[in-house]
Amino acid sequence: MEPHPLRGPVRRIAACAFALALALGTAACTGGDDEQPAPETPSATPSASADAAPEASDGAEVTDADLSAATDRFLGFLGVIDDQDWEAACAYVLDPGTGAAPEGERLQQCADGARGAMADYEEMLDPGVFDQLDASMVQAEPAADGTISLSLLEQPVEIPMTRGDDGQWYLSIPF
């Protein structure tokens, strides 16, 4: 059996997408050393570690329609990455403080951080590089915690997707 003709380029693409997802989580969306917004509700328990698995926002069972929606959102995310549209890329990342995409100052911080974090990868991100990808190349699987695990041509994307309070699926990057 011959390897898929896109396998080599897609591995490079998957590595770049993973790097962006990590960059968004560790640098961009946190706002660096800036003060973080206060949580919406006080809690007597300490906050979960950054390594903790994200929780589904409403506990609903993941359906085939959810898997399809998450796949489409992931492909949309990749499409804005190759255009180097960092603000649009941040719209696919869950802001746990709001249960939806970051907005306002948080969105700008995320975009600025993503731009800086991805500077080393810009040469890989020619406009249209992800245009060859389609839903058949993404595998979406439900996880026991209500999130969705993704892989791109059998290359795992280590960032799960979770349902936001608005019902959309977002990359779940702890920050």
Side-chain angles (χ1 to χ4, degrees):
M1 182 169 144
E2 290 187 34
H4 193 285
L6 295 177
R7 187 166 299 278
V10 170
R11 283 187 182 166
R12 179 174 55 102
I13 290 166
C16 190
F18 177 67
L20 176 63
L22 286 178
L24 289 172
T26 60
C29 292
T30 64
D33 294 330
D34 294 345
E35 182 178 323
Q36 295 297 306
E40 289 184 17
T41 57
S43 172
T45 60
S47 62
S49 77
D51 295 328
E55 295 180 21
S57 62
D58 62 4
E61 183 176 328
V62 175
T63 66
D64 287 342
D66 291 328
L67 296 174
S68 180
T71 296
D72 291 345
R73 296 260 307 156
F74 180 62
L75 289 169
F77 172 73
L78 294 175
V80 296
I81 291 173
D82 72 4
D83 294 333
Q84 298 181 34
D85 186 344
W86 309 122
E87 196 167 292
C90 291
Y92 290 89
V93 175
L94 183 71
D95 181 343
T98 65
E103 295 178 339
E105 185 177 323
R106 293 273 289 167
L107 176 60
Q108 191 58 53
Q109 290 171 345
C110 181
D112 292 345
R115 183 178 299 105
M118 291 304 295
D120 293 341
Y121 300 95
E122 285 181 353
E123 64 194 39
M124 296 171 61
L125 296 175
D126 294 328
V129 73
F130 292 121
D131 291 351
Q132 301 172 51
L133 301 177
D134 63 48
S136 71
M137 298 173 188
V138 176
Q139 295 78 43
E141 298 290 329
D145 63 359
T147 63
I148 294 176
S149 299
L150 300 168
S151 59
L152 180 61
L153 283 181
E154 301 174 12
Q155 299 299 308
V157 176
E158 300 294 333
I159 306 299
M161 293 192 83
T162 191
R163 187 186 335 260
D165 292 346
D166 60 0
Q168 293 289 320
W169 287 93
Y170 293 94
L171 291 165
S172 180
I173 303 171
F175 66 94

